[in-house]
């Protein structure tokens, strides 16, 4: 039997997404074996995040500044607004380094199963931004899941009366994707949206 | 792009066994969304472990006391010593609540591939214990892997000149195991070690 200290750390780690009780236990042992190189850096990193990170009250991003560095960056195109489900999606899009506009984080997706309704997401703030800011195009960048798409159509409807163009991400074969491993829906979408070969 | 604070925490988490970069990122967001219920408990647990846990200089267990609570428990049978590869294995055996003796943690397994030799494990300490303590039986409880078994035979050989009985864990069908999913080696071992049915 291990000690209460170990149990508490195992439990705290096992609540992280992707870590079950067994891998949490292995992680604890890993940390114990490597105090200087693993435990201390993790502790310092948690401290820094807790002390310095806050949620941007404009877009919902997590950043050291509020408003965040994206919302305050003058080089960003303020006529273009991408709506994403979560901060992770914002980071993923920003890693692609193609999108030059700003973001709006909904904070989740509509889900009857999990009891998430429009009032649980930052939909009203989005409508205010679409109305008051200089936005001309809203890119709905929800995940290509059932719930993501339900959310997408709901937001699209709410934006209908606004004076903005509403667009969505293209569906198709992911880069590096093999047809054999793709579902029929994706292949059908990719076929429908096929483009002339550019040489 | 996320901030250096987020990157540092993501990196610290992604070094844990079982967490890749992607799940580490998800874990960071999970912690950020739940500061009071996830981030603070994890921080407190890390602090407590770092402040209070040490390695038992007798057996290699990790505990709040040194020697650990197992080595100092007078109800434990001090003629019985189980040798395990890692602290995780000690905990696993102790969770079974059947073994009443004490433990010796080797700190790994012999591995030509990873360059782990006998001098990297606490083999000499084990021999000293087998000689100086009141041990009459050493249970070699290494993992049933190639490297675990190599280590087992090496330790068994080193213990040969000692005045102790050397035993190993039984092989067989794991409880809840389905034959269809077991390798032939396990099935063969289970057949060879078959026992009369007790009613």
């Amino acid at each position: 039997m291990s000690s209460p200290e170990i149990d508490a750390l195992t439990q705290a780690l096992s609540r992280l997404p992707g870590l079950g009780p067994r891998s949490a236990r292995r992680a604890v042992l890993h940390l114990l074996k490597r105090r200087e190189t693993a435990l201390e850096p993790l502790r310092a990193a948690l401290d820094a995040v807790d002390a310095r990170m806050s949620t941007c009250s404009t877009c919902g991003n997590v950043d050291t500044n509020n408003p965040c560095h994206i919302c305050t960056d003058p080089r960003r195109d303020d006529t273009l607004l991408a709506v994403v489900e979560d901060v992770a999606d914002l980071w993923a899009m920003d890693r692609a380094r193609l999108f030059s506009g700003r973001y709006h984080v909904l904070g989740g997706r509509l889900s009857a199963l999990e009891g998430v309704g429009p009032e649980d997401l930052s939909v009203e703030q989005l409508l205010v931004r679409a109305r008051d800011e200089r936005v001309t195009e809203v890119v709905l960048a929800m995940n290509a899941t059932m719930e993501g798409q339900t959310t997408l159509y709901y937001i699209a409807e709410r934006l209908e009366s606004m004076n903005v163009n509403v667009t969505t991400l293209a569906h198709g074969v992911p880069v590096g994707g093999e047809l054999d491993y793709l579902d029929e829906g994706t292949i059908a979408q990719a076929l429908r949206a096929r483009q002339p070969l550019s040489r």
Side-chain angles (χ1 to χ4, degrees), chain A:
Chain A
M1 270 157 307
S2 47
S3 66
E5 286 85 357
I6 300 279
D7 291 346
L9 181 55
T10 308
Q11 208 167 52
L13 283 171
S14 70
R15 288 207 200 92
L16 296 179
L19 273 186
R22 195 159 174 282
S23 40
R25 213 151 44 219
R26 284 180 51 220
V28 169
L29 284 164
H30 176 93
L31 291 169
L32 278 167
K33 273 193 188 173
R34 295 165 191 80
R35 296 221 181 181
E36 266 98 73
T37 57
L39 198 153
E40 292 301 341
L42 177 56
R43 209 162 72 135
L46 277 171
D47 284 351
V49 160
D50 197 31
R52 290 188 226 134
M53 305 310 290
S54 57
T55 299
C56 174
S57 49
T58 304
C59 75
N61 187 16
V62 172
D63 197 60
T64 37
N65 298 311
N66 180 10
C68 75
H69 74 281
I70 294 179
C71 284
T72 53
D73 186 346
R75 290 162 304 180
R76 291 266 175 172
D77 182 351
D78 59 0
T79 65
L80 204 55
L81 189 67
V83 183
V84 292
E85 293 178 23
D86 271 313
V87 178
D89 304 320
L90 186 163
W91 294 351
M93 264 191 80
D94 225 50
R95 276 197 299 279
R97 290 171 183 272
L98 189 82
F99 184 70
S100 59
R102 299 201 171 127
Y103 295 95
H104 189 83
V105 178
L106 287 175
R109 63 218 64 86
L110 295 177
S111 167
L113 213 67
E114 294 167 27
V116 180
E119 66 284 358
D120 300 308
L121 308 178
S122 62
V123 179
E124 297 308 320
Q125 294 93 309
L126 171 64
L127 299 178
V128 170
R129 291 185 72 184
R131 189 190 64 201
D132 296 351
E133 296 183 11
R134 297 181 50 236
V135 179
T136 57
E137 180 182 346
V138 175
V139 185
L140 299 180
M142 278 65 127
N143 290 322
T145 59
M146 180 100 89
E147 292 177 338
Q149 297 300 299
T150 306
T151 311
L152 188 150
Y153 285 110
Y154 173 81
I155 302 275
E157 211 179 280
R158 296 293 307 270
L159 285 169
E160 231 167 40
S161 58
M162 303 269 166
N163 192 22
V164 289
N165 292 315
V166 177
T167 58
T168 74
L169 296 181
H171 289 298
V173 180
V175 176
E178 297 178 64
L179 293 193
D180 197 20
Y181 290 92
L182 287 175
D183 65 304
E184 294 79 5
T186 301
I187 295 181
Q189 294 262 27
L191 256 177
R192 238 178 273 131
R194 66 187 180 279
Q195 311 214 324
L197 188 66
S198 62
R199 292 170 192 266

